[in-house]
Amino acid sequence: MFPSVLRGQPDSCLMLAVLEFSLVFVFSSSCGVSGWSCARVAGCAVRYRVSRDLMRQLIPRLLKRLKERSIAGERIRPLRPPAKGAKSLRRPLPPPPVFFGRSRSILLDEINPITNPKAYRQHKSLPPQVRLPDSQKTRTVSRDGTIEDDVRRKMTAEEREWWANPYLRMLSTPLRKCAQSSRYLPSDFLVRLSVKRLPSPRTGSKRQTYTLVPDGLQHPKFKGLDSRRGHYVVCRRAAMQEFETRGIYRRLLSATIKLPSSLPDYISHLLRVRILQELELLAERLQARPQGAEESTLLRRLTWREFSAIRAGKPLLDQDAVAVLVVPPLNRDPATKKRPAPSTSPLPEPPPEQPATTYQRDPPPLSAMCHVLSPKDYQGFPDVITPMRVPLYNGVALFPSRAQRAALHERLCKLLMLERRARWRQHGPTSTTELGNSQPIAHRMTGATSPAFLLRSGAETVLRADTVPLAIALWRLRMWEGDSWERGEGTWATII
């Protein structure tokens, strides 16, 4: 024990430690303590004495060193360093090199494009943000004390208008290669699949069996990626069925791959779950930022007059509209007299005990396109510019499952409640036209609310919350079901 504690100490300290150890050992022995216990007690006492003497010697030296060292003019590292994703590689470029009229070789320059090509490489600046926190309005200081040249900036009104467009946002996603067509498309137009190993059978066979499962369809906050390597297929049910029929998936791995027959239905289920998850996250963002509800409404109900005009083919007259959802409240079950419980489970639902809803007429389409502006507003524009249209989604065809449709209606009503609360905090109680459909039918057909919900996204709405992910989730489900392709309506630009 002594060599490890007293190594490097002066002779006076060593003699004092030996004396203290002897006294404590003799005192413990006289009290009836065993020899090994006496040695442990004496060692603890000596260690405490030595550490106390060392601190008496180190503290004056440390104070002297801190006093001698001047920190004036030096940059102190910030308490909250920048995030890893906010690091910018943009640096000022050196002056362009001169190749003619030189008296010596360019290789002798301290910085030249031959031996230092990285110094002349240009990098992109940090992307602008919708809202810029106060901590990022100044220049960022790195951990080593250097100041970064690139500074985040706030989006302009025109950039916010582009950012609020769901179709531009989809086109700006990273490009991925489709395993079926071998073409590169934005990832929002594709469905990601990953290979997963199935449990080995109990027959004793050492041959591994794999399968393809949808990956990355849910929001990352609810479920992460199962595999870092993924395969992509066009976001269409018909493309997935052809992908299975032609056996293209067998080229992905040399091992045995079994594709379940319920894979298209499971993908369709997860796409609907993603819509419900986006609604939940949108409600959280509205609760965190309730300001500005009167100036920029994100979701509102259409009146019966507006809804009847849309059904008659008239324009919507709202440039910030991105989607219209017709979701009536669910009726009670005739047997149990209860409404279905909302369900947001990502697990596939069991087959319903009752038969599906039968329609006396043709079933309603999943979506239809309605005009936003009148044709007169497009006079003078080139013919290549198509009139702006907004998808109108039918909730019954969009969510055939009654449990999921109940969850959809519940979350839409929750968003309306948050909007009403935000407006009430600013301007008092809201109007009675948004409280429900308790008015008489004659009044409902004129000015009261309808079962249609209008989703808005514009340069001012993104300052409160971002509704574009919800619009993208709805559009991806529309692409997957391929309703417009089967009915032969529209062109590729209006469908995809």
Side-chain angles (χ1 to χ4, degrees):
M1 187 189 329
F2 285 109
S4 60
V5 178
L6 303 176
R7 185 180 294 113
Q9 303 299 326
D11 297 339
S12 58
C13 182
L14 178 61
M15 294 177 60
L16 181 61
V18 172
L19 178 60
E20 289 185 357
F21 180 81
S22 304
L23 292 176
V24 174
F25 185 83
V26 172
F27 178 75
S28 302
S29 301
S30 61
C31 295
V33 185
S34 61
W36 177 250
S37 300
C38 294
R40 293 181 61 185
V41 174
C44 293
V46 172
R47 185 176 301 175
Y48 170 74
R49 176 60 182 271
V50 171
S51 61
R52 184 179 61 183
D53 294 341
L54 289 176
M55 291 303 296
R56 288 179 179 177
Q57 298 176 7
L58 291 177
I59 289 179
R61 297 178 184 177
L62 182 61
L63 294 176
K64 183 179 179 180
R65 293 286 183 89
L66 291 176
K67 188 176 180 180
E68 293 175 355
R69 182 179 179 182
S70 176
I71 60 175
E74 296 184 4
R75 188 170 301 278
I76 302 176
R77 189 179 67 181
L79 297 179
R80 297 181 61 184
K84 294 182 179 179
K87 184 178 180 180
S88 175
L89 300 177
R90 190 176 180 87
R91 294 291 184 271
L93 297 179
V98 179
F99 297 96
F100 302 98
R102 300 179 58 92
S103 60
R104 63 175 187 173
S105 173
I106 193 175
L107 297 176
L108 299 178
D109 294 345
E110 184 179 358
I111 300 177
N112 60 80
I114 299 177
T115 59
N116 307 100
K118 293 184 179 180
Y120 293 88
R121 186 178 301 173
Q122 296 185 3
H123 296 276
K124 293 182 179 180
S125 60
L126 293 175
Q129 291 183 338
V130 178
R131 292 182 300 269
L132 196 62
D134 296 337
S135 58
Q136 296 184 4
K137 291 182 179 179
T138 57
R139 292 194 172 185
T140 308
V141 181
S142 303
R143 287 182 176 270
D144 55 356
T146 59
I147 302 178
E148 296 185 2
D149 298 287
D150 195 9
V151 184
R152 284 190 180 272
R153 63 179 181 85
K154 190 176 181 180
M155 287 186 182
T156 61
E158 187 178 13
E159 290 174 338
R160 291 202 309 269
E161 191 71 31
W162 297 339
W163 183 253
N165 191 324
Y167 310 109
L168 291 180
R169 190 88 67 90
M170 294 177 68
L171 291 173
S172 63
T173 52
L175 297 179
R176 295 295 181 265
K177 186 178 181 180
C178 176
Q180 182 179 5
S181 61
S182 300
R183 296 180 180 271
Y184 287 91
L185 294 173
S187 57
D188 275 354
F189 294 89
L190 303 171
V191 173
R192 190 177 191 271
L193 303 175
S194 63
V195 180
K196 194 170 186 179
R197 187 178 64 181
L198 295 176
S200 302
R202 298 182 179 179
T203 57
S205 176
K206 297 183 179 180
R207 190 174 184 180
Q208 299 291 343
T209 306
Y210 299 85
T211 185
L212 288 177
V213 294
D215 193 12
L217 294 184
Q218 300 187 57
H219 196 276
K221 185 177 180 180
F222 296 87
K223 186 179 184 301
L225 296 178
D226 294 334
S227 175
R228 298 184 61 181
R229 182 180 179 183
H231 308 277
Y232 296 85
V233 184
V234 178
C235 185
R236 282 190 58 197
R237 181 187 288 269
M240 181 60 66
Q241 293 174 355
E242 185 180 359
F243 182 75
E244 177 184 1
T245 304
R246 295 174 55 186
I248 304 176
Y249 61 91
R250 295 188 181 94
R251 301 197 303 244
L252 302 179
L253 278 180
S254 59
T256 304
I257 299 181
K258 292 184 178 180
L259 200 63
S261 58
S262 60
L263 181 61
D265 295 334
Y266 186 43
I267 294 176
S268 179
H269 175 76
L270 291 181
L271 289 175
R272 291 178 169 88
V273 170
R274 179 62 180 266
I275 296 175
L276 301 178
Q277 293 174 353
E278 294 293 351
L279 283 170
E280 183 178 349
L281 297 177
L282 181 58
E284 294 179 0
R285 290 191 288 266
L286 282 181
Q287 287 179 341
R289 187 176 293 274
Q291 299 84 3
E294 189 70 23
E295 297 79 9
S296 55
T297 303
L298 302 181
L299 184 73
R300 69 176 182 90
R301 282 182 182 268
L302 295 178
T303 62
W304 279 101
R305 183 176 301 172
E306 294 175 335
F307 186 45
S308 301
I310 293 176
R311 296 172 63 179
K314 296 182 179 180
L316 188 58
L317 301 179
D318 191 343
Q319 296 185 1
D320 291 341
V322 292
V324 178
L325 292 89
V326 183
V327 187
L330 278 74
N331 298 327
R332 299 179 183 271
D333 190 278
T336 60
K337 305 298 181 182
K338 295 182 180 179
R339 290 187 173 88
S343 174
T344 59
S345 174
L347 300 178
E349 296 183 351
E353 300 178 358
Q354 299 179 357
T357 305
T358 58
Y359 300 95
Q360 298 179 357
R361 299 177 296 177
D362 295 337
L366 186 142
S367 63
M369 305 299 291
C370 57
H371 292 278
V372 176
L373 301 176
S374 60
K376 297 181 180 180
D377 298 330
Y378 290 92
Q379 293 181 359
F381 285 90
D383 296 337
V384 295
I385 299 179
T386 58
M388 182 179 177
R389 295 194 292 178
V390 170
L392 186 145
Y393 300 98
N394 191 343
V396 178
L398 189 70
F399 284 81
S401 172
R402 290 174 56 86
Q404 284 188 335
R405 201 181 331 141
L408 175 65
H409 187 267
E410 180 185 33
R411 278 161 171 72
L412 289 173
C413 293
K414 182 180 180 181
L415 287 175
L416 288 180
M417 181 187 64
L418 293 175
E419 291 279 31
R420 287 197 296 266
R421 287 181 179 177
R423 285 193 293 268
W424 183 84
R425 292 176 182 177
Q426 291 182 356
H427 305 287
T430 57
S431 60
T432 58
T433 59
E434 296 185 0
L435 297 180
N437 293 340
S438 59
Q439 293 85 0
I441 296 180
H443 181 63
R444 260 195 284 166
M445 295 302 295
T446 56
T449 57
S450 65
F453 299 83
L454 176 63
L455 184 66
R456 304 176 71 250
S457 177
E460 301 299 329
T461 59
V462 293
L463 296 176
R464 291 188 61 210
D466 192 6
T467 59
V468 171
L470 175 58
I472 293 177
L474 291 168
W475 191 262
R476 281 172 57 85
L477 180 58
R478 181 179 186 269
M479 289 192 304
W480 171 257
E481 296 297 341
D483 183 63
S484 299
W485 283 106
E486 296 176 357
R487 291 186 285 112
E489 297 181 359
T491 62
W492 69 271
T494 60
I495 297 174
I496 290 186

PDB file of all heavy atoms in Angstrom, residues 359-365:
ATOM      1  N   TYR A 359     -72.380  -0.200 -51.948  1.00  0.00           N
ATOM      2  CA  TYR A 359     -72.941   1.004 -52.514  1.00  0.00           C
ATOM      3  C   TYR A 359     -73.977   0.608 -53.575  1.00  0.00           C
ATOM      4  O   TYR A 359     -73.740  -0.281 -54.403  1.00  0.00           O
ATOM      5  CB  TYR A 359     -71.846   1.866 -53.162  1.00  0.00           C
ATOM      6  CG  TYR A 359     -70.771   2.299 -52.203  1.00  0.00           C
ATOM      7  CD1 TYR A 359     -69.586   1.561 -52.079  1.00  0.00           C
ATOM      8  CD2 TYR A 359     -70.921   3.430 -51.419  1.00  0.00           C
ATOM      9  CE1 TYR A 359     -68.604   1.948 -51.195  1.00  0.00           C
ATOM     10  CE2 TYR A 359     -69.931   3.835 -50.528  1.00  0.00           C
ATOM     11  CZ  TYR A 359     -68.779   3.087 -50.427  1.00  0.00           C
ATOM     12  OH  TYR A 359     -67.797   3.471 -49.552  1.00  0.00           O
ATOM     13  N   GLN A 360     -75.116   1.266 -53.499  1.00  0.00           N
ATOM     14  CA  GLN A 360     -76.122   1.043 -54.517  1.00  0.00           C
ATOM     15  C   GLN A 360     -75.676   1.616 -55.854  1.00  0.00           C
ATOM     16  O   GLN A 360     -76.020   1.083 -56.905  1.00  0.00           O
ATOM     17  CB  GLN A 360     -77.451   1.678 -54.076  1.00  0.00           C
ATOM     18  CG  GLN A 360     -78.014   1.067 -52.801  1.00  0.00           C
ATOM     19  CD  GLN A 360     -79.315   1.728 -52.388  1.00  0.00           C
ATOM     20  OE1 GLN A 360     -79.765   2.685 -53.033  1.00  0.00           O
ATOM     21  NE2 GLN A 360     -79.929   1.225 -51.324  1.00  0.00           N
ATOM     22  N   ARG A 361     -74.900   2.690 -55.813  1.00  0.00           N
ATOM     23  CA  ARG A 361     -74.340   3.264 -57.023  1.00  0.00           C
ATOM     24  C   ARG A 361     -72.856   2.926 -57.097  1.00  0.00           C
ATOM     25  O   ARG A 361     -72.347   2.147 -56.308  1.00  0.00           O
ATOM     26  CB  ARG A 361     -74.544   4.786 -57.026  1.00  0.00           C
ATOM     27  CG  ARG A 361     -76.022   5.192 -56.985  1.00  0.00           C
ATOM     28  CD  ARG A 361     -76.136   6.708 -56.905  1.00  0.00           C
ATOM     29  NE  ARG A 361     -75.563   7.220 -55.669  1.00  0.00           N
ATOM     30  CZ  ARG A 361     -75.471   8.530 -55.360  1.00  0.00           C
ATOM     31  NH1 ARG A 361     -75.915   9.429 -56.247  1.00  0.00           N
ATOM     32  NH2 ARG A 361     -74.952   8.907 -54.218  1.00  0.00           N
ATOM     33  N   ASP A 362     -72.178   3.510 -58.044  1.00  0.00           N
ATOM     34  CA  ASP A 362     -70.739   3.312 -58.135  1.00  0.00           C
ATOM     35  C   ASP A 362     -70.054   3.884 -56.901  1.00  0.00           C
ATOM     36  O   ASP A 362     -70.458   4.932 -56.381  1.00  0.00           O
ATOM     37  CB  ASP A 362     -70.200   3.986 -59.393  1.00  0.00           C
ATOM     38  CG  ASP A 362     -70.729   3.343 -60.663  1.00  0.00           C
ATOM     39  OD1 ASP A 362     -71.119   2.161 -60.584  1.00  0.00           O
ATOM     40  OD2 ASP A 362     -70.777   4.030 -61.703  1.00  0.00           O
ATOM     41  N   PRO A 363     -69.001   3.222 -56.393  1.00  0.00           N
ATOM     42  CA  PRO A 363     -68.308   3.745 -55.199  1.00  0.00           C
ATOM     43  C   PRO A 363     -67.683   5.095 -55.500  1.00  0.00           C
ATOM     44  O   PRO A 363     -67.262   5.377 -56.632  1.00  0.00           O
ATOM     45  CB  PRO A 363     -67.254   2.688 -54.905  1.00  0.00           C
ATOM     46  CG  PRO A 363     -67.058   1.968 -56.189  1.00  0.00           C
ATOM     47  CD  PRO A 363     -68.382   1.991 -56.897  1.00  0.00           C
ATOM     48  N   PRO A 364     -67.593   5.957 -54.502  1.00  0.00           N
ATOM     49  CA  PRO A 364     -67.010   7.286 -54.730  1.00  0.00           C
ATOM     50  C   PRO A 364     -65.525   7.166 -55.025  1.00  0.00           C
ATOM     51  O   PRO A 364     -64.834   6.282 -54.508  1.00  0.00           O
ATOM     52  CB  PRO A 364     -67.264   8.022 -53.410  1.00  0.00           C
ATOM     53  CG  PRO A 364     -67.377   6.929 -52.406  1.00  0.00           C
ATOM     54  CD  PRO A 364     -68.007   5.771 -53.110  1.00  0.00           C
ATOM     55  N   PRO A 365     -64.985   8.039 -55.860  1.00  0.00           N
ATOM     56  CA  PRO A 365     -63.540   7.999 -56.135  1.00  0.00           C
ATOM     57  C   PRO A 365     -62.744   8.419 -54.911  1.00  0.00           C
ATOM     58  O   PRO A 365     -63.225   9.145 -54.038  1.00  0.00           O
ATOM     59  CB  PRO A 365     -63.378   8.990 -57.291  1.00  0.00           C
ATOM     60  CG  PRO A 365     -64.519   9.929 -57.139  1.00  0.00           C
ATOM     61  CD  PRO A 365     -65.655   9.125 -56.596  1.00  0.00           C
TER      62      PRO A 365
END
